[in-house]
Amino acid sequence: MDLQGRHILLGVTGGIAAYKSAELVRLLIKEGATVQVVLTEAASRFVGAATFQALSGRPVHGDLWDARVPDSMAHIALAREAELIVVAPATAHTLARAANGLADDLLSTLLLAAGKPVLYAPAMNREMWQHPATRRNVARLRADGAWISGPAAGEQACGEIGEGRMVEPEDLLQDIVAAFQPKVLAGVRTLVTAGPTFEAIDPVRGLTNRSSGKMGYAVARAAREAGAEVTLVSGPTALAAPFGVERIDVTSAQQMHDAVMARAAQAQLFVATAAVADWRPAQTFAHKQKKRDGEPAPAIALQPNPDILAGVAALPSAPFCVGFAAESEQLVAHAAAKRERKGVPLLVGNIGPDTFGSDDNALELFDADGHRPLGRGRKLMLARALVAEIARRLSGAAR
Ligand code: CTP
C-alpha cells in the first residue's frame, strides 16, 4: 500500500469529470490513505455528497461556515490535517481563482490557508484549456509550486476531441503517490530498457525469453516519481506504461539498440533492465516455414546481436550506466565480471530464485567497491531503493 497512513484532502469542483473522483477516492482508500472530501457548490450538482461520504467514510465538507467544525473554522481545521491537497477535477474557473488567490468558498480558502502541496487535475473543454488565460493561470500555479496532472487528450463530454479530459483515476493515483516521493532525480533525462526481445525466424515464429518487463517498468516508474524525464524502450510485454513515461515499443534487439542509440547521447542516466536476446536467426524467412514429410528438422543458424549496454557505456559522453544481470548460478562471480566487461559503474544482480513474472524480487548491488544486498520485496519498492542509490552516485559525480 503506497499511501499507508497518508491524509489527503480531495477538492472536487464542478465538472462532469467529478464522477471520476468518486473512483479516485476508492483507489486512495485502497492504497491506505484517509481522504477528506471537500465539494464546491457546483460539484455537488454533478455528484452528491452522499456518494463521497460513503466512499471516504467521512462527512463531506462544502460550507465555509460549517457548524460541525469547532469555531466554524473548517478551512483551518481541514487544512491542518492534510498532507496533500488534490483538486480533481479542477475546472478552468477553479484554476483561475486559485492562480489569483481568491478565497470565496471553503475549497479556495483552504488552498490559501493550507500551506500544503497542491496537485490539480484540470478538466475542461479543449478550447478553454488552450485559451491564453488558462495557460497563464496554469503557468502561475506551477510557478507557485503546484503540480498539474494532465489533462489527457481524447473524446470530451462536449463531443469534441482534444486535450482537456481529466486524467484517469489510476493515472492520477500514480501522480498522487509520486507527490510523496523525494525528487532525487529532478529533471534527469533517463532512458530505460525493459522486457524481452523477440527475434523473428519467420512471420509467425521467433526466439524470445520469459522476461515480463515488470522490473524495468518499476524502474521507469520509480525514476519518474523521483522527478526524472523518462523514456522507456520496451520489448513486447503485456504491461501498461507508467503514467507520464514516454514509451517506445520495439520487437528485436536490433530495434532496441537503434532506439536506444538514437537517444543515448541526450540521456544523463541509462538503466538497462531488458533481457536482450544474445543471438538472432542469421536469416529471417519472408514466409512461414512449412514442414515436409521425410525432411530432417531444419537447423537455425544464429548470429550475435549488438550489446546495447556496452555500446552506450562506450560512448564518448556516456550517461551514467546501470546494468542488470540474471544469473542462474555463481551470481557474485558472474555479476562482478559482467560489470567490468560491460564497463558500467553499477550492476544489479537478480538473486530471486525465479523472478520472471513475479511482483517480488531480491537484488544485489555490484560496484567498484564490491557488492551488497539492496533488499528483497516488491519490485516497485526495490526500484525506488535503486533510484535512491543511483541519485546518490549521480550527485557525487559531475552531471
Ligand atoms: N544487455 C544489453 N544488450 C545485450 C545483452 C545484454 O544491453 N545484447 C544488457 C542487459 O539489459 C543487462 C546486462 O546487459 O543490463 C546484462 O545482461 P545479461 O543478459 O545478464 O548479460 P549478457 O551480456 O547476455 O551475458 P551472459 O549471456 O554471458 O550472461
Side-chain angles (χ1 to χ4, degrees):
M1 294 210 286
D2 280 325
L3 295 171
Q4 188 64 47
R6 301 292 190 184
H7 184 65
I8 293 163
L9 192 143
L10 175 64
V12 183
T13 75
I16 180 63
Y19 76 91
K20 291 188 187 175
S21 297
E23 171 70 0
L24 178 66
V25 174
R26 204 183 61 77
L27 295 175
L28 290 170
I29 302 269
K30 216 169 109 194
E31 284 302 324
T34 49
V35 183
Q36 175 61 59
V37 177
V38 171
L39 288 183
T40 62
E41 150 64 23
S44 61
R45 293 168 190 251
F46 288 95
V47 182
T51 300
F52 287 107
Q53 202 146 309
L55 288 168
S56 68
R58 286 175 162 237
V60 166
H61 289 267
D63 186 359
L64 195 50
W65 310 107
D66 193 334
R68 286 172 301 179
V69 179
D71 307 327
S72 287
M73 297 287 271
H75 58 293
I76 302 296
L78 296 176
R80 268 196 198 126
E81 56 181 17
E83 290 174 87
L84 172 72
I85 301 182
V86 178
V87 183
T91 60
H93 185 63
T94 303
L95 296 174
R97 287 194 309 165
N100 287 286
L102 298 187
D104 56 358
D105 67 359
L106 178 59
L107 180 61
S108 55
T109 311
L110 268 165
L111 288 169
L112 276 192
K116 301 288 168 64
V118 184
L119 174 65
Y120 294 94
M124 65 198 73
N125 163 275
R126 67 187 172 88
E127 298 284 359
M128 294 170 81
W129 175 248
Q130 293 303 339
H131 195 283
T134 305
R135 321 275 356 123
R136 252 190 333 266
N137 293 330
V138 168
R140 192 182 279 187
L141 289 168
R142 278 210 172 99
D144 289 346
W147 289 301
I148 311 288
S149 188
E155 199 172 322
Q156 302 205 286
C158 54
E160 294 182 17
I161 293 178
E163 210 180 1
R165 284 167 59 95
M166 183 172 131
V167 292
E168 294 306 316
E170 290 80 8
D171 293 339
L172 187 49
L173 176 71
Q174 285 193 34
D175 266 1
I176 292 169
V177 169
F180 290 101
Q181 297 299 321
K183 303 296 167 215
V184 290
L185 291 182
V188 174
R189 288 185 301 277
T190 301
L191 197 53
V192 180
T193 63
T197 64
F198 180 90
E199 312 297 326
I201 296 170
D202 67 20
V204 295
R205 304 185 182 92
L207 301 175
T208 188
N209 60 65
R210 292 175 55 212
S211 168
S212 66
K214 284 183 178 172
M215 192 64 227
Y217 278 58
V219 169
R221 176 171 170 179
R224 200 253 169 182
E225 285 179 345
E229 290 168 28
V230 184
T231 301
L232 175 63
V233 180
S234 175
T237 72
L239 304 173
F243 185 56
V245 164
E246 182 195 13
R247 169 169 159 180
I248 294 165
D249 286 315
V250 296
T251 303
S252 66
Q254 188 63 51
Q255 288 171 353
M256 186 176 277
H257 173 268
D258 296 349
V260 167
M261 284 305 172
R263 292 164 180 83
Q266 290 84 48
Q268 295 160 293
L269 169 62
F270 176 51
V271 187
T273 72
V276 185
D278 291 320
W279 300 284
R280 64 174 179 271
Q283 183 188 6
T284 302
F285 295 97
H287 297 289
K288 186 184 172 201
Q289 294 303 288
K290 305 296 287 178
K291 60 180 175 309
R292 292 188 181 80
D293 281 347
E295 280 189 15
I300 301 172
L302 298 174
Q303 71 181 59
N305 274 324
D307 189 317
I308 304 168
L309 178 58
V312 173
L315 288 175
S317 58
F320 185 85
C321 288
V322 182
F324 267 71
E327 306 291 344
S328 57
E329 39 115 37
Q330 295 185 48
L331 172 85
V332 171
H334 283 162
K338 193 171 279 183
R339 189 188 75 78
E340 299 216 355
R341 199 168 65 243
K342 305 245 175 187
V344 297
L346 187 60
L347 190 107
V348 186
N350 280 304
I351 52 176
D354 178 17
T355 54
F356 285 128
S358 159
D359 287 327
D360 289 4
N361 206 352
L363 299 179
E364 184 92 5
L365 290 183
F366 293 81
D367 63 13
D369 296 331
H371 65 99
R372 64 175 187 80
L374 182 67
R376 177 181 294 272
R378 269 177 64 208
K379 287 180 176 171
L380 183 56
M381 295 302 167
L382 292 171
R384 287 180 184 144
L386 176 62
V387 159
E389 279 287 338
I390 292 171
R392 230 168 25 81
R393 289 153 203 264
L394 270 178
S395 63
R399 278 199 203 156

